[in-house]
């Protein structure tokens, strides 16, 4: 019987414990002397300090109860203006409501709840700053508030129902904001507001309409009263045009754009002289038949909920860029023909392969591609960024086929797109690592790019070449530029793929400095005075808490203590983070392993393999998991003698571009290959019986359960698929078209990636848990697959439905019922 080799060294309360790998690796301790690269740690098995099984008998009832019992963590934290306090939200016990908390750095405790009557004074998480950093403004409940940061005085500037957004300070100290299809400018010093620019999707008014036909022409020519009315109308129109041109007190005329179009985005330059507008044809995101029945409602009747389109029905449209000169009221269209590769037939090989499969031929074409603003799912910034002076604007656009991203600029005097950087990916351009902007004090651009295979930071002068500020087999994100352009702060998994620390790079020299050494998951916000970091930090067995780290001190100080005594009283088993050797790539498959020490002479053990959802998500990190119920469930399984494996299979986040895109055009193949490597590792290293292994997962993990049981029936004895995808043609456009293109272009990819085409392979026991009001993965995915299994006369599957739940369960009773069924499946069949 093979034994785990264990090495553990205690370093104190805030240190993480690292121990040797299963066979030969030496002990490595994470501390301030640890090299800030992955070479020293990436091949190690990381052991948590607590390798004891919880003495308390865990129950499903406790694990699946309302998570309030764990404690309600701080959320959406940010700094006060003076850098001496923090503001955060925290859910109320026993309620879906949240409170706003204010916490002083100098006082103990979690702070005080901000009264509802005072929340407008601290609700500036998304504030904007004036160019001199002495004034700030924000929107609270649809109204604009303004603060003098020198005096501390706050005043309310609006109280109406306009719902302003796109708030920004102009160079002259005034505030601009958008309301519908117009940009307003407000002077905080006197309250005067003006409409700086507006636009309408309509034909431009004319003095007179030309006769529509012979009858109208004859009427206007023969009947004098009609002719006079037309002449009077023309005179009035001309008079109004002259008044508009000669009287500066009037609101400027709108810009007119094609009918049946709509606004995508608009951005006013800091000098208030230019508007960058993006528009498109009215694009219906759903059809009338995109509905979902909802059976449990307060009126006792069946209702229908509107839902999204399927990828098979999506019809993307091109977006058009316009530059408006507000001084002379001229508009300039910015064509994409200036972009390198704008008409490349990037899917030619895919189309050829599908044509051959149909007995047809495909002729390559050079038609312009559909292009528009990039949609990054993980940023809060705009895809339009003006430089400080307002004479240049950077715009990030992407092709709808997902194969190209362009960082472009426009000089307002040249009025044309100039490509600053093109990122091409034969699979798909990531919807992360797209942050960009201008330096504060020069016309240099910074941006993130996966061009080397990992998301890294680059700096490029306006007319010069780009240089890398970071490089290596790690990923950089969450950028913050210092006011003087000296430093760029960022988050990265530099020393291990599952450890995220905070760093800064000197923009001039490229020197990188590690600012934290907490060894878990850390997010940050730089303080307004740029002297401290507000950290949200978690560990494997500890939910997120807030910390402060002064840049001139080595240690971070914990600010909040929100985890409950009931949770802390349980001696939770932390999983090891194990780099499992892959049979298909040079990179290992990083995995969480939950296991108690083996006992000599005991029978071989049962095991469960959990697959996380989303595909592009990282779960084998050293922080608190969003799958916290599963973490507790896995602890319960270990108490029952199971070993649990949780793998970051290929497609997962955190491991670079090649790992992410391994599933391109064939979802469900690389991932199941990785699960097989995981099963083999369990059998070889943890004394698991190869014939007593089950699997489960939700969403993408449910899809993987299907693919494992249908295409690799020898791998698992039983599996549970929760809220699972069975046919990718029924999933959404934005996610699916990245990975599989679209069904009309690439049916091969869809049919070899969708479980419903492989249902005949089911041999083992399958449990399907399906929420009925799921607006993400539709219930019909389960309905269609169940009908397919019935028609195939498969006897060994069961389906449980959850009438009131959407994709993310809410009711504790639903969670409990779901996991009771999963536990019963494993207890019965393993």
């Amino acid at each position: 019987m093979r034994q785990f080799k264990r090495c553990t060294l205690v370093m104190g309360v805030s240190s993480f414990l690292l121990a040797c790998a299963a066979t030969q690796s030496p002990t490595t301790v994470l501390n301030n002397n640890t090299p800030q690269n992955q070479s020293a740690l990436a091949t190690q098995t990381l052991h948590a300090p607590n390798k004891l099984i919880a003495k308390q008998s865990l129950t499903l009832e406790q694990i699946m109860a309302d998570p309030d019992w764990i404690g309600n963590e701080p959320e959406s934290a940010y700094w006060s203006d003076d850098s001496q306090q923090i503001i955060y939200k925290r859910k109320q016990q026993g309620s879906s409501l949240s409170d706003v908390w204010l916490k002083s750095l100098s006082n103990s405790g979690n702070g005080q709840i901000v009264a509802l009557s005072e929340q407008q004074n601290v609700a500036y998480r998304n504030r904007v700053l004036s160019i001199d950093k002495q004034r700030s403004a924000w929107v609270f409940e649809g109204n604009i508030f303004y603060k003098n940061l020198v005096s501390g005085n706050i005043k309310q500037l609006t109280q109406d129902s306009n719902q302003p957004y796109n708030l920004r300070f102009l160079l002259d100290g005034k505030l601009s904001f958008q309301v519908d299809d117009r940009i307003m400018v407000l002077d905080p010093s006197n309250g005067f507001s003006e409409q700086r620019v507006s636009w309408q999707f309509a034909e431009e008014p004319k003095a007179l309409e030309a006769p529509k036909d012979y009858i109208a022409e004859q009427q206007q020519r023969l009947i004098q009263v009609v002719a006079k009315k037309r002449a009077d109308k023309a005179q009035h129109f001309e008079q109004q045009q002259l008044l508009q041109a000669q009287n500066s007190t009037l609101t400027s005329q709108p810009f007119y754009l094609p009918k049946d179009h709509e606004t995508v985005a608009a951005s006013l330059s800091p000098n208030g002289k230019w508007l960058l507008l993006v528009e498109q044809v009215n694009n219906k995101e759903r059809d009338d038949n995109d509905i979902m029945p909802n059976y449990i409602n307060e009126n006792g009747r069946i209702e229908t909920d509107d839902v999204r389109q399927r990828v098979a029905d999506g019809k993307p449209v091109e977006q058009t860029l316009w530059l408006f000169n507000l001084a002379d009221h001229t508009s300039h269209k910015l064509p994409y023909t200036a972009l390198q590769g704008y008409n490349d037939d990037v899917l030619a090989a895919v189309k050829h392969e599908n044509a051959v499969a149909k007995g047809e031929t495909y002729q390559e074409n050079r038609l312009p591609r559909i292009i528009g603003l990039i949609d990054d799912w993980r940023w809060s910034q705009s895809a339009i960024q003006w430089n400080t002076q307002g004479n240049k604007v950077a715009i990030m656009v992407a092709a709808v086929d997902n194969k190209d991203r362009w960082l472009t600029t426009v000089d307002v005097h040249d009025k044309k797109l100039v490509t600053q950087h093109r990122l091409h990916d034969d699979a798909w351009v990531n919807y992360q690592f797209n942050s960009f902007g201008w330096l504060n004090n020069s016309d240099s651009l910074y941006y993130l790019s996966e061009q080397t295979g990992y998301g890294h930071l680059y700096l490029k002068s306006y007319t010069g070449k780009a240089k890398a500020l970071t490089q290596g087999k790690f990923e950089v994100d969450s950028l913050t530029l210092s006011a003087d352009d000296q430093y760029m702060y960022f988050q990265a998994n530099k020393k291990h793929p599952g450890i995220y620390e905070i760093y800064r790079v000197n923009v001039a020299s490229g020197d990188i400095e590690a600012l934290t050494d907490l060894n878990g998951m850390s997010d940050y916000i730089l303080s307004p005075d740029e002297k401290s970091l507000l950290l949200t930090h978690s560990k494997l067995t500890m939910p997120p808490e807030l910390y402060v780290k002064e840049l001139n001190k080595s240690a971070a100080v914990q600010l909040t203590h929100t985890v409950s005594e009931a949770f802390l009283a349980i001696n939770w088993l932390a999983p090891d983070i194990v780099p499992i050797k892959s049979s298909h790539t040079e990179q290992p498959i990083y995995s969480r392993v939950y296991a108690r020490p083996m006992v000599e002479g005991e029978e071989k053990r049962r095991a469960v393999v959990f697959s996380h959802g989303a595909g592009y998500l990282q779960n084998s990190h050293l922080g608190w998991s969003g799958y916290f119920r599963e973490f507790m469930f896995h602890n319960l399984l270990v108490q029952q003698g199971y070993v649990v494996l949780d793998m970051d299979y290929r497609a997962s986040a955190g491991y670079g571009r090649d790992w992410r895109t391994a599933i391109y055009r064939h979802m469900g193949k690389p991932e199941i290959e990785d699960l097989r490597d995981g099963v083999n590792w369990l059998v070889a290293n943890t004394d698991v019986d190869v014939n007593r292994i089950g699997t489960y997962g939700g969403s993408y993990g449910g899809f993987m359960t299907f693919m494992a049981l249908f295409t690799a029936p020898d791998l698992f004895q039983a599996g549970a698929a929760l809220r699972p995808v069975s046919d990718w043609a029924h999933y959404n456009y934005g996610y699916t078209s990245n990975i599989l293109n679209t069904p009309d272009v690439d049916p091969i990819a869809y049919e070899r990636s969708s479980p419903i085409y492989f249902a005949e392979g089911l041999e083992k026991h399958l449990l399907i848990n399906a929420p009925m009001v799921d607006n993400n993965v539709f219930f019909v995915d389960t309905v269609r697959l169940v009908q397919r299994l019935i028609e195939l006369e498969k006897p060994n599957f069961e389906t449980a439905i959850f009438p009131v739940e959407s994709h993310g369960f809410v009711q504790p009773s639903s969670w409990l019922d779901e996991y009771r069924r999963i536990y019963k499946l494993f207890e019965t069949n393993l």
Side-chain angles (χ1 to χ4, degrees), residues 711-785:
T711 67
D714 64 309
L715 201 54
F716 300 109
Q717 299 305 306
L722 326 176
R723 43 200 174 276
V725 175
S726 68
D727 188 342
W728 287 110
H730 289 254
Y731 198 52
N732 69 37
Y733 190 96
Y735 179 93
T736 321
S737 64
N738 279 324
I739 306 171
L740 301 179
N741 302 310
T742 53
D744 60 320
V745 170
D746 200 358
I748 289 175
Y750 279 81
E751 292 174 17
R752 68 185 178 196
S753 299
S754 295
I756 199 167
Y757 291 96
F758 303 96
E760 67 275 6
L762 179 64
E763 298 176 6
K764 304 296 176 55
H765 299 277
L766 170 64
L767 168 66
I768 306 172
N769 287 344
M772 295 184 68
V773 285
D774 190 338
N775 57 9
N776 184 0
V777 178
F778 297 152
F779 181 61
V780 71
D781 266 63
T782 292
V783 172
R784 294 177 69 241
L785 181 65

Side-chain angles (χ1 to χ4, degrees), residues 182-464:
R182 52 197 171 101
I183 302 291
M184 304 296 296
V185 173
L186 178 62
D187 189 339
S189 65
N190 56 26
F192 179 77
S193 67
E194 62 169 304
Q195 180 175 291
R196 182 64 56 94
V197 58
S198 66
W199 56 97
Q200 295 181 15
F201 297 100
E203 292 183 1
E204 186 170 359
K206 301 175 183 178
L208 299 172
E209 294 290 340
K212 293 182 179 180
D213 53 26
Y214 172 76
I215 297 296
E217 187 275 332
Q218 183 188 46
Q219 181 84 338
Q220 295 170 21
R221 177 165 49 89
L222 294 177
I223 306 301
Q224 292 183 4
V225 67
V226 171
K228 186 176 186 308
K229 285 181 179 181
R230 283 175 60 81
D232 290 345
K233 186 177 180 181
Q235 288 180 345
H236 281 285
F237 183 85
E238 183 179 355
Q239 175 74 5
Q240 187 63 37
Q241 295 297 104
L242 290 173
L243 178 64
Q244 185 75 45
Q246 298 176 20
N247 194 315
S248 61
T249 67
L250 273 64
T251 301
S252 61
Q253 292 277 40
F255 286 88
Y256 291 94
L257 297 162
K259 290 194 301 183
D260 301 320
H261 284 219
E262 61 185 356
T263 301
V264 175
S267 182
L268 184 67
S269 63
N271 58 23
K273 298 178 180 179
W274 303 86
L275 183 78
L276 196 290
L277 180 75
V278 187
E279 51 90 0
Q280 64 182 18
V281 174
N282 288 332
N283 189 22
K284 291 180 63 177
E285 296 183 354
R286 56 173 303 278
D287 296 321
D288 292 341
N289 60 358
D290 290 321
I291 57 174
M292 172 179 65
N294 189 335
Y295 291 91
I296 307 296
N297 298 285
E298 61 184 37
N299 62 11
R301 269 74 174 176
I302 300 173
E303 297 182 354
T304 56
D305 296 344
D306 294 341
V307 294
R308 57 158 175 82
Q309 284 181 330
R310 294 158 173 80
V311 62
D313 299 326
K315 299 177 178 62
V317 297
E318 178 152 296
Q319 297 174 357
T320 302
L321 308 183
W322 295 89
L323 183 65
F324 293 164
N325 185 331
L326 307 190
D328 62 13
H329 205 265
T330 57
S331 59
H332 308 273
K333 188 175 181 179
L334 305 173
Y336 297 122
T337 53
L339 304 180
Q340 181 184 5
Y342 80 96
N343 64 343
D344 286 353
D345 192 355
V346 294
L347 288 169
V350 170
K351 294 174 181 177
H352 173 75
E353 179 185 348
N354 279 272
V356 170
K358 298 175 184 177
E360 302 170 354
T361 60
Y362 176 73
Q363 182 65 41
E364 185 173 348
N365 73 67
R366 301 284 292 181
L367 295 175
R369 299 154 72 185
I370 299 176
I371 297 173
L373 295 183
I374 195 165
D375 184 15
D376 188 301
W377 299 1
R378 301 193 182 192
W379 71 7
S380 58
Q381 73 168 85
S382 168
I384 305 168
Q385 297 288 318
W386 288 92
N387 68 348
T388 301
Q389 294 75 27
N391 61 348
K392 296 181 179 67
V393 61
I395 314 158
M396 188 169 281
V397 296
V400 76
D401 55 45
N402 312 305
K403 304 297 185 285
D404 274 287
R405 181 198 83 178
W406 295 270
L407 175 57
T408 71
T409 55
V410 179
D411 187 309
V412 296
H413 303 296
D414 297 334
K415 303 177 183 64
K416 63 179 181 180
L417 293 176
V418 175
T419 300
Q420 298 290 343
H421 177 256
R422 178 190 181 188
L423 176 63
H424 176 81
D425 196 310
D426 288 338
W428 74 92
V429 172
N430 200 347
Y431 44 80
Q432 190 179 357
F433 309 120
N434 296 303
S435 298
F436 72 99
W438 300 87
L439 295 188
N440 295 313
N441 305 298
S442 74
D443 282 344
S444 291
L445 291 157
Y446 64 85
Y447 60 90
L448 293 177
S449 172
E450 269 191 328
Q451 64 195 58
T452 63
Y454 291 83
H456 278 294
L457 174 63
Y458 297 84
L459 181 69
K460 184 184 182 301
S461 65
Y462 186 68
T463 57

Side-chain angles (χ1 to χ4, degrees), residues 88 101-104 107-113 559-560:
Y88 63 93
W101 288 71
L102 182 65
K103 155 77 177 168
S104 171
N107 295 334
S108 60
N110 293 324
Q112 298 81 37
I113 295 175
L559 296 175
T560 60

Side-chain angles (χ1 to χ4, degrees), residues 515-587:
L515 301 176
T516 63
D517 189 27
L518 295 172
N519 299 314
M521 290 289 288
S522 298
D523 295 312
Y524 80 101
I525 299 178
L526 182 65
S527 62
D529 64 9
E530 300 188 2
K531 295 180 180 180
S532 302
L533 300 176
L534 173 59
L535 303 171
T536 301
H537 175 73
S538 68
K539 295 189 184 296
L540 283 163
T541 62
M542 186 59 62
E545 295 283 11
L546 298 180
Y547 294 70
V548 65
K549 168 67 166 62
E550 295 182 39
L551 296 181
N552 61 355
K553 294 183 180 180
S554 58
V557 177
Q558 186 170 343
L559 296 175
T560 60
H561 297 81
T562 60
V563 181
S564 71
E565 292 299 325
F567 182 85
L568 294 173
I570 298 174
N571 197 26
W572 296 103
L573 172 70
D576 293 336
I577 307 299
V578 181
I580 293 177
K581 182 176 175 57
S582 169
S583 300
H584 302 277
T585 71
E586 293 183 1
Q587 286 180 271

